[in-house]
C-alpha cells in the first residue's frame, strides 16, 4: 500500500483529501504545517505528498525546498494543492521541485488524474 | 409528458442524432429539456414537445438535440489511445508517409476539443522528428455549442486539471482570469466544424487516423455498424481507428478488426489480405 502525507493547516481539507486518497488505496498520514511534515518525512519518506502552500510555522514552498535537500528527499512525489492559482506560483513550485500542481477547489477526478500523472495510481 | 410525447421525443432524437433514449432515461430527458423549455417560454415539457411535433422550428429542434448530447471529455482521456498514437502510429507513418509527409487525423466526436488539442500537443512534442510534415487535424461534433467552445480554446480551471499534466498547462496555455486558453499555434492546427455522423461525411476526404471515441455507445447496433462502415471507406488501407475504452467493432462491422497487439486500436480488415507495412512492423514488434 502506498503512503501519502497530506499537509494542510485546514482539518477540513485534510479530511476531504484523506477520504479521496483512501479511495485510491493510499495509506494516509497528516500534518498541519511544513515543520511537522518535515519531522514525519525524516522518520519515514512517504511515496506521495499532497501539499498546501499557505500554512503557519512553515509554508509549503519552504517545506518543499527543505524536503528536497534531505537524504532520500527527492523520492516522494509532491503534488501541490493550493488556492495560489496564478501561473507565477505554479512556475515557482515546479522550479522548487514539485511534480504536479492542483488548483483548489479540487475533486476526486482531479486528485486521481494528478496522482496518476506522477505514477502513484 | 404523456407516453405518446415521450415516444415522439425518443424517435425524434434517434432520427436526428442516432442517440437512443430508453423509457428508463425519462429523468434525463426531463432534467435536460426542462431548462430548454423554460428558456424558450414553454409552460411545460409537454408544450415544447407539441411544438416539435408540429415541426418547422429548426432552432428549437437543434437546441433539443444538443441538450440531449453528453459532452463529457477530458485531456488525454484513458491515456492509451494517445500513447498508441504517438508510439505505434506515428513511427509507422514516419516510414509509410515519408514521401508525402502528410498525415490526416479526424476526431469524429470532438466535444469541447480536449481530444484534438491533446493530439495537437503530442504532435508539438514530436515536431522535431517530422520536419516539413503537415499534420492535419479535423475535429467535428454534432453539437454546435461545443464546437464553438472548442474553437475558442478556452477551458475552465476544472477542465485543465483533468488529464492535462501541469507541465503541458504551463507550456501551452495562458491564463485569462480564472480560465486558460490554449496557444494560437495549437488552435490553428485543428479545423473545427459541426457534423452529424448520421449524414454523409465523405466530403471530409481520406484520413490516416480516426478517433471515434465514446460516441457510438449512444447509438443502436445498426447505426454503429453503418457509421463504422462509412468510416472504413474514409480510412487509408493502412490507417487506424481508435474507439473508446469500452467500445469495439466486434460483431458490428467487417470493415475493421482489432489490432493484434494493441487494445482499442482497430485496423481495416482488408489490411489482412496484403501484408501492409503496418502488419509487418507489428509482427516484428
Ligand atoms: C462523450 S463525448 C466524447 C468526446 C471525446 N471523443 C471523448 O472521448 O472524450 C460524445 C460526443 O458525441 C457527440 N455526438 C452525439 N451524437 C452525434 C452524432 N450523431 N454525430 C456527431 N457527434 C455526435 C456529442 O455531441 C458529444 O460531444
Amino acid at each position: 500500500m502506498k503512503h501519502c502525507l497530506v499537509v494542510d493547516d485546514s482539518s477540513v481539507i485534510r479530511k476531504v483529501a484523506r477520504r479521496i486518497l483512501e479511495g485510491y488505496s493510499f495509506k494516509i498520514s497528516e500534518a498541519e504545517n511544513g515543520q511537522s511534515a518535515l519531522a514525519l518525512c525524516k522518520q519515514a519518506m512517504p511515496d506521495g505528498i499532497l501539499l498546501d502552500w499557505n500554512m503557519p510555522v512553515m509554508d509549503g514552498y519552504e517545506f518543499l525546498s527543505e524536503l528536497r535537500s534531505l537524504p532520500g528527499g527527492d523520492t516522494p512525489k509532491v503534488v501541490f494543492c493550493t488556492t495560489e492559482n496564478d501561473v507565477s506560483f505554479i512556475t515557482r513550485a515546479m522550479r522548487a521541485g514539485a511534480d504536479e500542481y492542483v488548483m483548489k477547489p479540487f475533486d476526486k477526478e482531479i486528485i486521481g488524474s494528478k496522482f496518476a500523472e506522477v505514477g502513484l495510481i | 409528458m404523456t407516453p405518446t410525447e415521450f415516444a415522439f421525443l425518443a424517435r425524434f432524437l434517434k432520427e436526428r442524432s442516432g442517440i437512443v433514449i430508453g423509457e428508463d432515461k425519462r429523468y434525463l430527458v426531463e432534467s435536460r429539456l426542462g431548462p430548454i423549455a423554460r428558456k424558450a417560454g414553454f409552460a411545460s415539457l409537454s408544450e415544447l414537445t407539441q411544438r416539435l411535433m408540429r415541426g418547422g422550428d429548426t432552432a428549437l429542434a437543434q437546441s433539443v438535440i444538443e441538450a440531449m448530447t453528453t459532452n463529457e471529455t477530458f485531456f488525454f482521456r484513458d491515456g492509451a489511445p494517445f500513447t498508441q498514437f504517438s508510439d505505434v502510429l506515428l513511427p509507422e507513418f514516419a516510414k509509410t508517409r515519408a514521401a508525402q509527409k502528410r498525415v490526416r487525423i479526424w476526431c469524429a466526436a470532438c466535444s469541447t476539443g480536449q481530444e484534438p488539442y491533446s493530439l495537437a500537443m503530442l504532435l508539438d512534442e514530436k515536431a522535431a522528428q517530422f520536419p516539413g510534415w503537415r499534420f492535419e487535424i479535423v475535429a467535428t461534433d454534432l453539437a454546435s455549442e461545443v464546437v464553438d467552445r472548442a474553437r475558442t480554446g478556452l477551458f475552465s480551471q476544472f477542465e485543465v486539471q483533468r488529464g492535462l499534466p501541469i507541465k503541458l498547462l504551463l507550456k501551452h496555455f495562458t491564463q485569462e482570469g480564472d480560465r486558460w486558453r490554449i496557444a494560437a499555434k495549437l488552435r490553428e492546427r485543428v479545423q473545427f466544424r459541426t457534423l452529424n455522423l448520421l449524414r454523409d461525411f465523405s466530403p471530409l476526404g481520406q484520413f490516416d487516423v480516426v478517433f471515434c471515441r465514446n460516441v457510438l455507445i449512444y447509438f443502436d447496433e445498426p447505426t454503429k455498424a453503418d457509421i463504422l462502415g462509412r468510416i472504413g471507406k474514409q480510412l487509408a488501407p493502412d490507417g487506424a481507428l481508435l474507439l473508446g475504452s469500452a467500445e469495439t467493432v466486434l460483431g458490428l462491422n467487417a470493415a475493421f478488426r482489432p489490432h493484434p497487439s494493441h487494445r482499442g486500436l482497430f485496423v481495416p480488415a482488408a489490411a489482412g489480405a496484403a501484408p501492409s507495412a503496418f502488419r509487418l512492423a507489428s509482427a516484428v514488434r
Side-chain angles (χ1 to χ4, degrees), chain B residues 84-97:
Chain B
Q84 286 168 349
F85 174 77
S86 66
D87 298 354
V88 180
L89 300 176
L90 280 184
E92 285 309 320
F93 293 138
K95 288 176 258 167
T96 56
R97 302 290 187 277

Side-chain angles (χ1 to χ4, degrees), chain B residues 24-61:
Chain B
D24 57 328
K25 291 282 164 62
R26 214 186 160 91
Y27 72 95
L28 195 70
V29 173
E30 280 162 4
S31 68
R32 292 205 180 160
L33 297 188
I36 302 276
R38 274 193 297 281
K39 219 172 117 196
F42 296 104
S44 65
L45 203 47
S46 282
E47 247 185 45
L48 175 144
T49 312
Q50 299 288 340
R51 180 69 195 84
L52 281 180
M53 284 172 162
R54 288 197 302 277
D57 192 337
T58 49
L60 181 68

Side-chain angles (χ1 to χ4, degrees), chain B residues 17 70-73 77 109 115 141-142 196-197 213-214:
Chain B
S17 67
T70 301
N71 310 118
E72 160 88 352
T73 185
R77 185 173 189 173
E115 183 177 278
D141 198 284
L142 167 73
N196 188 343
L197 289 170
R213 310 196 62 231
N214 304 304

Side-chain angles (χ1 to χ4, degrees), chain B residues 176-203:
Chain B
E176 294 186 12
D178 57 359
R179 295 197 290 173
W180 297 78
R181 197 190 294 272
I182 195 160
K185 183 175 106 180
L186 298 188
R187 286 204 303 277
E188 284 155 12
R189 280 224 160 155
V190 186
Q191 300 167 43
F192 287 101
R193 47 173 105 167
T194 55
L195 183 135
N196 188 343
L197 289 170
L198 297 189
R199 312 261 176 274
D200 177 25
F201 44 71
S202 60

